[in-house]
Amino acid sequence: TTSPTVFIFSSASSGTSFATDAEELQARVDVAENSHSDMFISIHINASENTSVGGFSTYYHPKTKYDIQVAQCIQDQLMKTADVDDLGVRYANFYVNKRSTMPGALVECLFLTNKREEKLLISDWFQNKVAKAIADGIEDFYNQHQGG
């Protein structure tokens, strides 16, 4: 088997980028499309004015017959990482989910504005646990679909 190619983008800005939001998001989609990626996973940390809100959520846009299944496999694995709220798998019209042609999901990894979840999110061991859960969810999907 071949190892997957992983591209990592960060939305943390040094203030030197002059691209519009749509241009930045399209650039991410373009990398996936131009490299003939099999899957597009966008990983984020959530925030809310309500500091008691917390939990994992995974979003999909039904552009392929697999999007909701990818999102569910990832969400199921994420929920094994910590005793937090399951905000579920949700439909969303997010740019990268809608514009990429391969199956994909957008993952919201807890809430940085929730103090308990913030402590988890800033720890290396938990970041590794979340990364493994996302990878395990992707693997679960492929095992269920023999590669899609």
Side-chain angles (χ1 to χ4, degrees), residues 91-136:
Y91 165 83
N93 201 28
F94 293 141
Y95 189 99
V96 294
N97 287 35
K98 184 170 64 171
R99 300 290 174 100
S100 57
T101 59
M102 69 286 301
L106 186 145
V107 181
E108 288 285 1
C109 297
L110 305 182
F111 284 73
L112 196 55
T113 50
N114 176 305
K115 290 297 181 195
R116 179 175 168 266
E117 292 184 1
E118 177 190 27
K119 288 177 184 171
L120 291 171
L121 288 165
I122 62 175
S123 66
D124 288 341
W125 69 268
F126 189 74
Q127 291 172 21
N128 289 330
K129 197 173 182 180
V130 167
K132 182 171 182 342
I134 293 169
D136 288 347

Side-chain angles (χ1 to χ4, degrees), residues 18-138:
F18 297 103
T20 65
D21 288 345
E23 289 169 338
E24 182 180 332
L25 295 171
Q26 186 59 49
R28 296 173 187 204
V29 171
D30 290 346
V31 168
E33 296 292 340
N34 294 336
S35 65
H36 308 288
S37 298
D38 294 324
M39 190 175 290
F40 190 106
I41 307 299
S42 187
I43 304 169
H44 302 259
I45 297 173
N46 219 332
S48 175
E49 289 182 10
N50 180 347
T51 59
S52 66
V53 173
F56 285 111
S57 54
T58 306
Y59 295 86
Y60 72 97
H61 185 83
K63 66 191 174 305
T64 76
K65 65 182 180 178
Y66 298 115
D67 293 283
I68 192 170
Q69 296 164 8
V70 169
Q72 189 64 62
C73 287
I74 292 171
Q75 183 73 11
D76 290 347
Q77 288 296 324
L78 286 169
M79 291 312 303
K80 297 177 183 177
T81 64
D83 183 21
V84 296
D85 289 338
D86 183 348
L87 301 179
V89 171
R90 301 174 175 189
Y91 165 83
N93 201 28
F94 293 141
Y95 189 99
V96 294
N97 287 35
K98 184 170 64 171
R99 300 290 174 100
S100 57
T101 59
M102 69 286 301
L106 186 145
V107 181
E108 288 285 1
C109 297
L110 305 182
F111 284 73
L112 196 55
T113 50
N114 176 305
K115 290 297 181 195
R116 179 175 168 266
E117 292 184 1
E118 177 190 27
K119 288 177 184 171
L120 291 171
L121 288 165
I122 62 175
S123 66
D124 288 341
W125 69 268
F126 189 74
Q127 291 172 21
N128 289 330
K129 197 173 182 180
V130 167
K132 182 171 182 342
I134 293 169
D136 288 347
I138 293 167

